[in-house]
Amino acid sequence: MLGRATYGVVTPLSKAALVAMLLCGTAQAETLELVALGDSLTQGYGLPEADGFVPQLEAWLRADGLDVDVINAGVSGDTTAGGLARVDWSLQDTTDAMMVVLGGNDLLRGIDPAVSRENLDGILTAADGRDLPVLLVGLSAPGNYGAAYKRDFEAMYPDLAEQYGARFVPDFLGPLTEEGDPSGAMAFMQSDGIHPNAEGVARIVEAIGPEVAALLREDVGADDSAAGRPADGG
């Protein structure tokens, strides 16, 4: 019973109980969890925390109406092997999707692309085993290792994305190149010439954000329930 009633009239206490029941019964959209598995580019190396890739991406997605927490699983210096070693504990039961931004340190060390491919394959296998949708983000290789290295390194990303049905962005740092001029990217890089500055991160997020949003809306089935919310969810 909802409460005591006299001659068919619901008492004030019963009205309050009814309202509480209705409120409790209203479906509440759950906050999604997106794990960003990566290296220093994901971790936000050299930047104040708020200017890093993950906080800027989360703010962009929330401004776009998505109720999502982006988990920073970026570790500076990590190779694809490091990502593979920690993917299982980076993905939790609460994880709804994953984006992978790895390979930059493989490039810096000249690791055989066949080894990098095998590691990325293992990461995508782990996600596939959990039935998690994935966005795989590639990188462009410099030409100093030779044409064959560049070809094999860059090809592994679209090949694996197709194999696993993952979404794909060709080049994480691509948005920093203005009108195809590589020298234009330096204005958006830190002094080390490797990591983007805050403005560079913002450009990357603007370019990648729509693909991440599509991952969450179309592959996860997210509702647009965060419109108007502050970026910190408060």
Side-chain angles (χ1 to χ4, degrees):
M1 296 179 63
L2 295 176
R4 295 190 309 161
T6 304
Y7 302 111
V9 178
V10 180
T11 66
L13 177 62
S14 297
K15 288 180 180 178
L18 177 60
V19 169
M21 290 178 65
L22 290 174
L23 288 175
C24 290
T26 302
Q28 300 292 322
E30 292 186 2
T31 300
L32 296 177
E33 181 178 288
L34 170 67
V35 169
L37 185 72
D39 50 32
S40 56
L41 296 176
T42 304
Q43 183 266 336
Y45 176 88
L47 296 172
E49 183 176 355
D51 292 336
F53 175 71
V54 166
Q56 287 205 49
L57 177 62
E58 182 177 288
W60 191 98
L61 293 170
R62 286 181 174 270
D64 196 50
L66 286 161
D67 188 3
V68 58
D69 289 336
V70 184
I71 306 303
N72 193 339
V75 174
S76 291
D78 232 0
T79 61
T80 54
L84 176 59
R86 59 190 174 84
V87 65
D88 283 331
W89 56 260
S90 295
L91 299 175
Q92 305 296 319
D93 292 340
T94 52
T95 303
D96 295 292
M98 176 174 67
M99 66 182 301
V100 181
V101 188
L102 284 165
N105 289 303
D106 296 53
L107 277 177
L108 291 175
R109 301 179 187 186
I111 293 173
D112 185 344
V115 174
S116 301
R117 176 189 283 264
E118 184 177 354
N119 293 330
L120 289 173
D121 185 277
I123 291 170
L124 293 174
T125 296
D128 191 56
R130 295 169 179 259
D131 199 26
L132 291 176
V134 174
L135 171 62
L136 181 61
V137 184
L139 288 165
S140 293
N144 55 305
Y145 294 127
Y149 185 101
K150 180 178 175 65
R151 179 198 64 222
D152 293 346
F153 182 89
E154 293 178 356
M156 69 183 178
Y157 293 105
D159 288 353
L160 288 170
E162 181 177 4
Q163 178 181 339
Y164 285 92
R167 290 183 179 270
F168 170 60
V169 171
D171 187 1
F172 184 84
L173 297 174
L176 305 186
T177 303
E178 291 190 314
E179 300 178 356
D181 179 13
S183 64
M186 297 311 297
F188 306 107
M189 302 295 284
Q190 298 180 44
S191 59
D192 62 8
I194 297 174
H195 300 93
N197 57 29
E199 185 179 356
V201 171
R203 290 174 68 93
I204 293 168
V205 167
E206 284 292 328
I208 291 181
E211 195 65 32
V212 181
L215 175 78
L216 297 175
R217 287 195 174 99
E218 299 174 21
D219 300 346
V220 179
D223 294 325
D224 290 338
S225 55
R229 288 182 47 177
D232 62 1

